[in-house]
Amino acid sequence: MALFYQDPFDALSQFQRALDQLRSSSWLAASPSGGGAYPPLNVFRKGDDIIIVAEVPGVAKADLRVEVKGNTLRIAGSRTVGPGGQASSHRRERRGGRFDRTIELPIAIDSEGVKAEYRDGILALHLPRAEHDKPRPIPVA
């Protein structure tokens, strides 16, 4: 019977190097964890309206800014990451700082009727379609 002995710290070090290589490769570029657009969001259509759910963990409600004009939505804010004070960083994988994301929607939005709710790091937006953008029936004579 053959026994293979490997130093557990060496095995962990090799594993960590492999993970670091994977994270630095372009393989993850399309996913939110790979550094894509921030904040990551999902856009749904519910009847005439648009529902947007954005992930903004670690962002205080007071640090969020949501703006709507025509068919354009802007989500901006800042996120502080770290212990603050005199602590030094040993490893930093979570991103912090300012973010500003703008997306164009397929419909014009009624900015007066927009509702925003923020809970547990999730921002939910209800964007009603503007009346002037809704299709209207034309009677045929």
Side-chain angles (χ1 to χ4, degrees), residues 4 6 9 24-25 29 33-35 47 63 66 68 70 73 94 96 112 116 118-119 135:
F4 295 98
Q6 185 175 9
F9 292 107
S24 64
S25 74
S33 63
D63 292 336
V66 178
V68 175
L73 169 73
R94 294 180 61 224
E112 297 297 320
Y118 180 69
R119 188 176 0 163

Side-chain angles (χ1 to χ4, degrees), residues 54-70:
E55 295 178 9
V56 284
V59 178
K61 189 187 303 188
D63 292 336
L64 279 172
R65 183 173 177 173
V66 178
E67 297 176 349
V68 175
K69 182 177 180 182

